[in-house]
Amino acid sequence: MSDDGIDVTELLAAIDAGERLLLLDVRNERDFAAWRIGGRREPDALNVPYFRFLEEADAIVPRLPRGVPLVTVCAHGGSSALVSALLREHGIVARNLVGGMAAYGAHLSPVRVPTPVAERRFEIWQVQRVARGCLSYVVVSGGAAVVVDPSRHVERYEAFVAARNARIELVIDTHVHADHVSGGATLAARNRAAYFVGVADGWPIGGAVAALPAGGSFWLRRDDAPPLELRMIATPGHTPEGHAVLVAGRWLLSGDTLLVDGVGRPDLGAHALEWGRDLYRTITQRLAWLPDETVVLPAHTAAPPDVGAHDVIATSLGEVRGLPELTLPSADTFARAIAALVGPAPEAYAQIVVRNRDPEPIPPELADEWELGPNQCAARPGAAAAPETR
Amino acid sequence: MSTSILDVRGTKCPVPIVKAKQALDKLAAGDVLEVHATDGGSVEDFKGWAATSRLATLDAQRVEQDGTGATVYVHVLTRKP
């Protein structure tokens, strides 16, 4: 890394560590308003579009804050490189975010999920996509790996699994995602692994999909390690074809069915009340047999800035069961309460769903465009009790 | 008064605006410059730039397809006096 460049990993570490810096975002005002760099702490940011520097640098530069290191940011890192070079010519300390917002949007940060010493025969990694609040998982046991809900940056998962001396044998999408372009089918094909995603009536999936094994569980068997059970539990609600993955009887990869301080919105298929009632029955009946201590590992954070660089995003089933809406007496009252809570739908969700049901390759630029902006897959029952202050 | 075309297809920001600015510098007042870009981000950028530029006004923006089927964003600028 040259003196004038900073990569996403280093920038997020600096933000999380509370280092003094000022983001000088040189995108246009609309793009800046729609989506900006978060992190555990909200960094100080200033928006001055690059085209204003082109025309009136002499007027702008003297007005910039001095004495704080600047990091310039734009969509792909080109305009911000121009601006940071210009600032350095004026004697201002400035570094350019290499790859810009596109690199930030693609950044994946793996965090190990704690498992008791007795369970060290396998590892669960939560792979956090900080910019979007998307959480995917890599489960490794005795040289075999399962990847759950991967983003489209498939090489990152391949490198991570290879570094753990394992081979990807199975890829699972807990459901047909509406907020991000899935890497599931692609990752499976590239690694000759099986690919599983649920299939519901009227929701066909293009391409090859593995059937659920007899007994409802996948088993990871490799080398001398004892077989590891991945029990698939149908979880209609957020979407009708959804499945949660129960790892070793205790860690529940819950997709968007259960989130930290919330549940997944059931309204992205034009059946908000029907799916909402399904969601209530899934949580209160289909998952009723699981103990309160079950560790819930969701596919999303409710709000992206909650994602820290080091902490696992998790809750317990007992916590989820305490959400106010889940104490409502019937599926119908629950569905109506949730329908009243959901915010605007993710911007390009309809296109993303179509692509994820028929996983044809699409240009990365188009995927970048679809995935712009913050994640909006959560209905937030917790929000009524504890309103967000942001 | 003349109309010229600047082809910046395949480039990303800041190239379309940097090149447009260089081209406009050489034009006379009232001359028209059509910038042909493939970067979707250029739409909002040209709007924002023209709003404060001393060099040109933005008269129109339109979307076309070129021979390869690629989407082309056309920005029509007039050189200011």
Side-chain angles (χ1 to χ4, degrees):
Chain A
M1 191 60 48
S2 66
D3 287 348
D4 53 351
I6 180 169
D7 66 18
V8 175
T9 305
E10 191 182 348
L11 175 63
L12 290 178
I15 292 171
D16 285 346
E19 281 178 31
R20 276 185 75 239
L21 58 85
L22 177 66
L23 296 181
L24 177 60
D25 196 317
V26 302
R27 293 174 298 158
N28 64 60
E29 283 152 11
R30 196 190 64 165
D31 289 355
F32 176 73
W35 184 42
R36 50 189 276 194
I37 289 182
R40 182 183 295 179
R41 304 160 198 253
E42 190 77 8
D44 291 332
L46 189 64
N47 177 221
V48 183
Y50 70 93
F51 41 77
R52 294 197 54 213
F53 281 96
L54 293 178
E55 195 130 337
E56 43 184 336
D58 292 344
I60 296 171
V61 171
R63 300 211 302 265
L64 291 175
R66 297 272 173 159
V68 54
L70 297 180
V71 175
T72 58
V73 180
C74 73
H76 295 94
S79 300
S80 52
L82 183 86
V83 172
S84 70
L86 186 143
L87 294 178
R88 284 193 302 277
E89 281 169 24
H90 285 80
I92 293 178
V93 180
R95 294 171 80 188
N96 178 42
L97 179 64
V98 176
M101 294 302 285
Y104 171 62
H107 182 70
L108 301 177
S109 172
V111 185
R112 176 94 186 255
V113 177
T115 45
V117 177
E119 300 286 3
R120 282 298 158 95
R121 64 201 167 91
F122 65 89
E123 299 173 2
I124 303 176
W125 290 84
Q126 181 179 65
V127 182
Q128 303 177 345
R129 188 175 176 191
V130 179
R132 307 224 5 106
C134 296
L135 307 173
S136 52
Y137 294 88
V138 177
V139 181
V140 184
S141 175
V146 179
V147 183
V148 180
D149 291 330
S151 72
R152 61 195 155 92
H153 315 95
V154 293
E155 314 80 28
R156 299 288 312 278
Y157 297 91
E158 289 170 351
F160 182 77
V161 169
R164 315 208 72 72
N165 299 313
R167 184 188 173 279
I168 299 173
E169 304 212 327
L170 173 65
V171 179
I172 296 170
D173 268 319
T174 53
H175 60 292
V176 177
H177 297 279
D179 69 306
H180 69 271
V181 175
S182 169
T186 309
L187 184 63
R190 283 165 57 111
N191 293 276
R192 296 165 200 259
Y195 174 57
F196 177 84
V197 61
V199 179
D201 290 346
W203 279 64
I205 304 288
V209 174
L212 264 190
S217 295
F218 291 103
W219 292 85
L220 267 193
R221 298 173 207 272
R222 258 287 178 105
D223 300 342
D224 299 331
L228 179 69
E229 182 180 18
L230 304 169
R231 180 167 179 162
M232 305 301 294
I233 304 171
T235 54
H238 174 62
T239 58
E241 80 297 342
H243 282 75
V245 185
L246 183 66
V247 180
R250 174 150 179 210
W251 289 270
L252 186 70
L253 312 186
S254 60
D256 288 0
T257 298
L258 310 175
L259 305 173
V260 174
D261 198 23
V263 295
R265 58 192 299 164
D267 66 314
L268 296 181
H271 306 281
L273 292 180
E274 183 190 337
W275 291 9
R277 289 190 288 268
D278 288 344
L279 181 61
Y280 182 84
R281 292 185 199 107
T282 284
I283 299 171
T284 58
Q285 295 169 22
R286 289 172 185 267
L287 301 176
W289 61 280
L290 287 167
D292 278 351
E293 311 83 75
T294 304
V295 180
V296 173
L297 295 164
H300 292 286
T301 56
D306 294 349
V307 180
H310 316 289
D311 304 331
V312 174
I313 311 292
T315 186
S316 70
L317 197 50
E319 285 286 326
V320 175
R321 286 170 173 154
L323 289 172
E325 274 69 19
L326 284 169
T327 61
L328 289 171
S330 72
D332 205 53
T333 48
F334 170 85
R336 285 176 197 287
I338 293 292
L341 272 178
V342 295
E347 259 177 45
Y349 82 94
Q351 294 101 302
I352 293 176
V353 165
V354 168
R355 154 60 180 72
N356 283 344
R357 284 166 57 185
D358 194 5
E360 290 298 312
I362 58 163
E365 297 80 26
L366 186 58
D368 282 345
E369 196 181 305
W370 286 354
E371 292 181 350
L372 268 182
N375 179 277
Q376 290 151 326
C377 264
R380 304 204 62 200
E388 275 196 298
T389 52
R390 300 170 49 84
Chain B
M1 305 233 203
S2 70
T3 296
S4 46
I5 290 177
L6 175 67
D7 183 0
V8 290
R9 288 176 299 168
T11 67
K12 283 194 191 306
C13 57
V15 177
I17 287 186
V18 168
K19 292 223 165 157
K21 214 171 150 286
Q22 288 167 353
L24 286 160
D25 271 330
K26 294 178 192 140
L27 296 180
D31 285 351
V32 173
L33 181 70
E34 273 197 23
V35 182
H36 290 214
T38 44
D39 179 8
S42 66
V43 175
E44 202 63 26
D45 285 1
F46 270 96
K47 270 187 210 161
W49 171 65
T52 57
S53 174
R54 284 164 301 198
L55 207 54
T57 55
L58 179 65
D59 302 322
Q61 291 182 305
R62 56 176 199 269
V63 182
E64 297 177 352
Q65 287 206 317
D66 69 8
T68 69
T71 303
V72 179
Y73 303 92
V74 179
H75 314 286
V76 184
L77 301 154
T78 302
R79 177 73 158 93
K80 282 186 180 176

